[in-house]
């Protein structure tokens, strides 16, 4: 599948590199490729300049957002959650009816000296906002409950830990499950929570995830379900 990854931060990079490694044709979409490649300092989240990463990953193309949207056989949303609808609008998602969108984003709002908060919660979620903004796209929320290195290499964490799916379209969830298998997720690790409204729960797990990272001192952890 031709995969377009919207997102030039650590998450977009991790997913793009790994999806290319497992055999997909992958491009990363951005608003201004030239400006991105010209940047010599770290990005907003402290990641090294994209050009350095690009040099190590010539197999991943970098294209303007509209081109990424137009060429996608599957689109990954790895943009800042508070800007995701704008970023996907820029990618022309409205003109791609039926396109499967794997949404891994969280709508975190970062502030000075306090833990991040959620821009949307409780009665709504980013997954739902994206599905409402692009009603003809097939949005599947997944992978947003873990660090991006765990997303693409689940064996970094021992045990039968899980990845959640939420979305309205069964076929789209099937497509995403196939992709997860390619990344190394066992079928038994995929927990389908139902419709896209279930994204609320996975997104609202973020404050607990952030606390756990603080306490554990690592991002290499994940949820394991043990039922009686
Ligand atoms: N860090 C993790 O391990 C992790 C785990 C789970 C989920 N997530 C989620 O994954 C997403 C990506 O995180 P990240 O740290 O890699 O990157 P990020 O810094 O949160 O987002 C960078 C991306 O957002 C886009 N963006 C920012 N403002 C924009 C705007 N006004 N309009 C259009 N696009 C805009 C940028 O586009 P340009 O390239 O055009 O500048 C860039 O591609 C986030 O939603 C995050 O919450 C992260």
């Amino acid at each position: 599948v031709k995969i377009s990854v919207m997102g030039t931060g650590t998450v977009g990079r991790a997913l793009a590199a790994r999806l290319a490694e497992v055999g997909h044709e992958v491009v990363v979409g951005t608003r201004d490729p030239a400006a991105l490649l010209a940047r010599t300092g770290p990005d907003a989240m402290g990641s090294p300049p994209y050009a350095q990463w690009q040099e190590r990953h010539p197999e991943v193309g970098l294209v303007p957002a509209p081109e990424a949207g137009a060429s996608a056989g599957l689109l990954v949303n790895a943009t800042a959650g508070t800007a995701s609808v704008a970023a996907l609008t820029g990618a022309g998602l409205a003109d791609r009816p039926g396109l499967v969108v794997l949404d891994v984003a969280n709508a975190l709002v970062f502030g000075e000296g306090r833990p991040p908060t959620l821009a949307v919660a409780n009665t709504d979620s980013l997954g739902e906002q994206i599905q409402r903004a692009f009603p003809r796209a097939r949005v599947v929320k997944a992978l947003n409950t873990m660090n991006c290195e765990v997303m693409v290499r689940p064996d970094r964490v021992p045990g039968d830990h899980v990845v959640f799916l939420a979305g309205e379209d069964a076929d789209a969830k099937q497509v995403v499950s196939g992709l997860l298998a390619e990344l190394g997720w066992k079928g038994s690790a995929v927990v389908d929570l139902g419709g896209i409204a279930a994204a609320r729960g996975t997104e609202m797990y973020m404050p607990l995830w952030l606390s756990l990272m603080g306490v554990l001192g690592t991002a290499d952890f994940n949820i394991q379900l043990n039922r009686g």
Side-chain angles (χ1 to χ4, degrees):
V1 189
K2 269 187 153 181
I3 300 181
S4 295
V5 176
M6 295 304 300
T8 54
T10 49
V11 183
R13 297 178 200 185
L15 283 163
R18 180 81 170 120
L19 289 167
E21 183 180 286
V22 300
H24 295 284
E25 197 181 318
V26 182
V27 294
V28 168
T30 188
R31 286 168 292 180
D32 186 343
L36 180 67
L37 290 172
R39 211 163 58 202
T40 53
D43 69 11
M45 304 297 288
S47 310
Y50 191 89
Q52 282 178 17
W53 180 87
Q54 181 72 86
E55 224 166 87
R56 284 183 282 115
H57 293 281
E59 75 282 10
V60 176
L62 181 69
V63 299
E67 199 176 315
S71 67
L74 184 148
L75 192 97
V76 177
N77 175 40
T79 61
T82 50
S84 289
V85 170
L88 296 174
T89 300
L93 184 55
D95 302 323
R96 297 296 321 275
L99 188 65
V100 175
V101 177
L102 165 56
D103 172 32
V104 310
N106 287 306
L108 291 174
V109 180
F110 296 88
E112 295 277 313
R114 59 166 173 78
T117 55
L118 294 169
V120 54
N122 207 24
T123 54
D124 199 3
S125 63
L126 177 61
E128 289 166 276
Q129 287 183 341
I130 294 171
Q131 184 63 83
R132 276 201 307 276
F134 308 99
R136 295 187 299 167
R138 296 187 287 165
V139 180
V140 179
K141 190 94 200 184
L143 291 170
N144 62 309
T145 51
M146 67 199 76
N147 176 258
C148 57
E149 299 302 328
V150 179
M151 292 181 193
V152 299
R153 294 192 193 281
D155 61 1
R156 285 176 75 97
V157 175
D160 294 324
H161 55 97
V162 298
V163 53
F164 301 107
L165 293 187
E168 300 300 324
D169 189 283
D171 291 340
K173 286 196 274 195
Q174 205 59 46
V175 170
V176 169
S177 297
L179 214 58
L180 294 175
E182 290 172 3
L183 297 178
W185 291 93
K186 288 184 251 161
S188 58
V190 180
V191 179
D192 186 347
L193 297 174
I196 191 66
R200 294 176 194 179
T202 67
E203 294 177 16
M204 287 193 289
Y205 163 65
M206 266 317 98
L208 176 56
W209 187 93
L210 290 162
S211 296
L212 287 169
M213 188 184 72
V215 167
L216 299 172
T218 174
D220 278 339
F221 63 89
N222 193 18
I223 299 173
Q224 177 166 336
L225 295 181
N226 297 307
R227 56 170 293 179

